[in-house]
Amino acid sequence: MPRLGGAGQRPQKKLSLTLLLIGLVTLVVLLTSTILLTALYHSKKKSLIETTLNLNLANAERMSRTMDSLFRSMRSSMEYSADKLSKLHELPPGQVDDYLELMRKSSTYFNSILLVGADGIIRNTAPATLGMEGKPVMSPWAVEALRLKRPYLSEPYTALSTGRMIVFMSEPIYDPDKHYLGQLGGTIYLQDNNILNMIFGNTNDIDASGSYYYIVSPSGHLLFHPDKERINEDVSSNEVVQELMKGNSGQREALNIRGVRMLAGYSSVQANGWGIAAVSPVSFIQEELWSQLRITLAYTLIPFVILLLLAVLLAHQLAQPFVMLADLMSRVGKGKAELPVLKPHWNREADLLTKAVTIAWSNIQKHTDQLTQAAMTDLLTGLANRRSLELTMNQWIAAQFSFSVIVLDVDKFKFVNDTYGHLAGDEVLKQVAGILKMSIRPGDVCCRYGGEEFVVLLPRTKASDAYTVAERIRKTLEASVASEAVKVTSSQGIAHYPSHGNSLEELLQQADRAMYKAKGMGRNRTVIADE
């Protein structure tokens, strides 16, 4: 029978308390670092996704409003010309040709215009080089418009003769006695030179983040896309396109038809049934997250290395501080605690370790605060962004806190961009932001809502007093001169909570309508909602 501890038996190695504490502290440091970085990763990921979705939705809605206004203007122009032609149908063809040519060139709405009699024979065209006078209409869309005898807008289609993507809009012509005379029709070549292509054909470049816009027809075919080879491609299987085909607007994460996961904001256009989507690849969000993690690691690496070295040197004297710090870091990593005031420890080494943790957490908290501030701030103007605005408004509404909203839109901003370039446009936006900052009180909130649109929140302010503030802003802006000697004016709309609405959406809608009313009255003025 073997004897315990007998001769020749090797003694078992014992693990020293110092090594045990070193091992435990090393493990705790690694685990708490992982927990903290994981929490920061998921928090930042959620924030970036929400911000990207909201930004894409805002861009899609802005483009949708622009297109809706454009098609309504086209229809209004067509109605006006049809009324004029109802009184000119007995005039010589030359005068009618001149009128159609003037109509085509004055607005650049249509690439060609046809005047078709009730018998289906083409009477006049602009340009005259079309050579179609005296011929019957052959296009099924024009035939359908003649049959319906009412305003008509076709789906985009491809002309067999030219291969062009075309939209056909028509308006019936009746004489003063309500006798049907025929149709006035206009064709829009989607990829040719016209106002529609000027606005939307050049806005679909893919930016550095991989984001871009595309526009689809009611049947789910691509009308505008960065990849010109994909024009007219059927993308109706895309989840976002399916929502647009139903006339819905919103935001979501979805796979496109090529299997790429995208963050999409989409909005349907009421005037023509088209859909506009602004999308960003999820892969870019992932790359941004890894970049932020690398920065966070750079902030935390040195303090944690110092922490670990101190633990190795002084582990046998610092058991109790390690337990306390490990528990604190675990709770902080889970987002359940803030860094408390750490009192000096009786042991000098333990006191140094406590200070190292404080420094490490301060760096992390500072960087986290910077990320939070960046997510709530417009990078160009330094003002609060849309997310910050909505958070403030929802808090005030929840508290039933009376306030007024001023929506400000820079007049003819597209002209500035097109004439002087986007850098000049950016300077104009910075100038507007600077004037807004100088014109508001402490406690007022000013933000860039999107594009050339700004919003000012005035707490405890009636609509009439908000009007005084808005007029001061407007006059100051009108008297200023931007770069390139550009004169800048603005149109402003005002709404008051709770007089003009009980929700964020209602207030912004009322103020927005008042702003557009100001634009309709000639721009460079302020209008209060419902006045």
Side-chain angles (χ1 to χ4, degrees):
M1 180 180 294
R3 293 175 296 172
L4 296 176
Q9 184 178 11
R10 292 183 179 182
Q12 296 180 350
K13 292 184 178 180
K14 304 296 183 180
L15 184 64
S16 68
L17 179 60
T18 300
L19 291 177
L20 177 61
L21 289 176
I22 291 172
L24 289 175
V25 170
T26 302
L27 180 62
V28 168
V29 169
L30 293 176
L31 287 177
T32 52
S33 300
T34 302
I35 292 171
L36 181 59
L37 291 174
T38 301
L40 289 174
Y41 172 87
H42 288 291
S43 174
K44 181 62 178 175
K45 179 179 180 180
K46 181 179 179 181
S47 174
L48 283 174
I49 289 176
E50 289 179 353
T51 300
T52 302
L53 285 172
N54 290 333
L55 180 61
N56 285 344
L57 176 59
N59 288 335
E61 288 178 338
R62 173 178 54 80
M63 295 179 68
S64 175
R65 289 194 298 268
T66 300
M67 182 174 288
D68 188 83
S69 298
L70 177 60
F71 269 77
R72 292 182 187 278
S73 297
M74 289 180 179
R75 176 59 66 188
S76 177
S77 173
M78 189 70 72
E79 290 174 352
Y80 175 83
S81 297
D83 180 66
K84 287 291 185 182
L85 289 171
S86 69
K87 303 169 186 176
L88 296 175
H89 70 281
E90 296 180 356
L91 294 177
Q95 287 186 291
V96 177
D97 286 340
D98 291 342
Y99 182 86
L100 294 183
E101 187 64 22
L102 176 63
M103 176 186 174
R104 186 178 73 90
K105 290 185 175 180
S106 61
S107 64
T108 68
Y109 286 157
F110 306 101
N111 295 94
S112 63
I113 300 175
L114 306 176
L115 180 60
V116 183
D119 56 0
I121 301 301
I122 299 174
R123 303 290 179 82
N124 307 85
T125 66
T129 55
L130 292 176
M132 300 173 64
E133 291 88 344
K135 298 179 181 180
V137 291
M138 302 300 294
S139 167
W141 307 102
V143 172
E144 179 66 6
L146 283 170
R147 186 187 68 82
L148 294 175
K149 299 181 180 181
R150 59 180 173 82
Y152 180 77
L153 178 66
S154 74
E155 272 208 16
Y157 64 94
T158 302
L160 297 177
S161 59
T162 62
R164 288 190 177 105
M165 285 285 290
I166 294 176
V167 175
F168 179 75
M169 177 183 289
S170 70
E171 186 73 21
I173 302 175
Y174 291 90
D175 66 13
D177 296 325
K178 305 301 181 181
H179 293 135
Y180 181 60
L181 302 178
Q183 290 277 341
L184 175 64
T187 57
I188 307 165
Y189 303 157
L190 296 185
Q191 273 68 55
D192 282 19
N193 185 31
N194 53 52
I195 192 169
L196 182 66
N197 195 269
M198 288 170 58
I199 296 175
F200 298 100
N202 298 321
T203 58
N204 282 279
D205 295 331
I206 301 177
D207 64 18
S209 68
S211 300
Y212 61 91
Y213 310 104
Y214 63 85
I215 301 175
V216 295
S217 69
S219 62
H221 288 73
L222 286 173
L223 303 179
F224 293 92
H225 192 275
D227 186 355
K228 304 304 181 183
E229 299 296 325
R230 297 186 62 188
I231 299 301
N232 203 28
E233 179 181 343
D234 184 356
V235 291
S236 57
S237 60
N238 186 308
E239 297 174 2
V240 172
V241 175
Q242 290 174 0
E243 291 296 317
L244 289 171
M245 291 170 65
K246 298 175 184 177
N248 297 332
S249 300
Q251 59 188 34
R252 64 185 299 172
E253 180 177 344
L255 284 174
N256 65 17
I257 63 174
R258 299 191 173 182
V260 180
R261 186 161 294 278
M262 308 293 283
L263 299 175
Y266 53 93
S267 180
S268 58
V269 183
Q270 184 177 358
N272 57 16
W274 297 2
I276 301 176
V279 295
S280 302
V282 174
S283 59
F284 176 77
I285 301 296
Q286 196 66 40
E287 292 172 2
E288 186 71 14
L289 285 170
W290 283 116
S291 175
Q292 296 297 334
L293 277 180
R294 287 192 291 269
I295 295 174
T296 302
L297 284 171
Y299 275 98
T300 59
L301 183 60
I302 293 177
F304 275 118
V305 167
I306 294 174
L307 173 64
L308 187 58
L309 289 175
L310 289 175
V312 170
L313 295 173
L314 306 171
H316 65 282
Q317 300 182 26
L318 301 175
Q320 187 61 36
F322 273 131
V323 173
M324 182 271 294
L325 292 173
D327 177 69
L328 173 63
M329 293 301 293
S330 178
R331 288 185 287 115
V332 169
K334 296 176 182 177
K336 297 181 178 179
E338 296 181 355
L339 186 70
V341 177
L342 300 178
K343 298 180 180 179
H345 196 272
W346 62 270
N347 183 279
R348 181 176 179 272
E349 291 76 13
D351 188 61
L352 290 174
L353 179 61
T354 301
K355 291 179 179 179
V357 173
T358 303
I359 293 171
W361 175 251
S362 297
N363 288 335
I364 295 172
Q365 189 63 47
K366 179 180 178 181
H367 188 59
T368 302
D369 291 342
Q370 290 173 347
L371 293 177
T372 302
Q373 179 65 23
M376 304 291 284
T377 304
D378 177 63
L379 296 180
L380 178 63
T381 63
L383 300 178
N385 61 16
R386 178 173 179 169
R387 182 181 183 187
S388 177
L389 170 80
E390 293 177 348
L391 179 63
T392 300
M393 290 184 68
N394 284 328
Q395 289 175 344
W396 289 3
I397 291 173
Q400 297 185 344
F401 188 63
S402 173
F403 63 96
S404 288
V405 180
I406 301 174
V407 173
L408 180 151
D409 189 86
V410 179
D411 292 330
K412 299 182 179 179
F413 183 71
K414 182 180 181 300
F415 172 80
V416 175
N417 273 342
D418 292 346
T419 305
Y420 301 103
H422 289 281
L423 291 178
D426 288 349
E427 291 302 317
V428 168
L429 295 178
K430 292 177 183 178
Q431 177 190 359
V432 174
I435 290 175
L436 289 176
K437 290 176 183 177
M438 293 187 298
S439 303
I440 61 175
R441 307 163 301 182
D444 295 342
V445 178
C446 179
C447 90
R448 182 185 177 195
Y449 194 68
E452 67 271 23
E453 195 169 4
F454 297 80
V455 176
V456 179
L457 302 181
L458 304 175
R460 298 189 181 90
T461 305
K462 297 182 295 185
S464 57
D465 295 330
Y467 181 86
T468 302
V469 175
E471 279 294 284
R472 182 169 66 246
I473 294 171
R474 184 186 64 79
K475 292 176 181 178
T476 303
L477 188 59
E478 182 182 16
S480 66
V481 178
S483 63
E484 306 291 343
V486 176
K487 295 288 289 182
V488 182
T489 63
S490 64
S491 299
Q492 302 174 115
I494 296 173
H496 176 261
Y497 174 84
S499 304
H500 296 124
N502 294 314
S503 68
L504 178 149
E505 291 78 12
E506 287 179 300
L507 287 171
L508 291 178
Q509 186 179 56
Q510 290 288 344
D512 204 55
R513 286 177 179 173
M515 182 269 290
Y516 275 106
K517 183 177 179 181
K519 284 188 176 292
M521 295 169 65
R523 300 187 179 90
N524 193 23
R525 62 190 67 230
T526 303
V527 173
I528 300 176
D530 298 333
E531 290 189 8

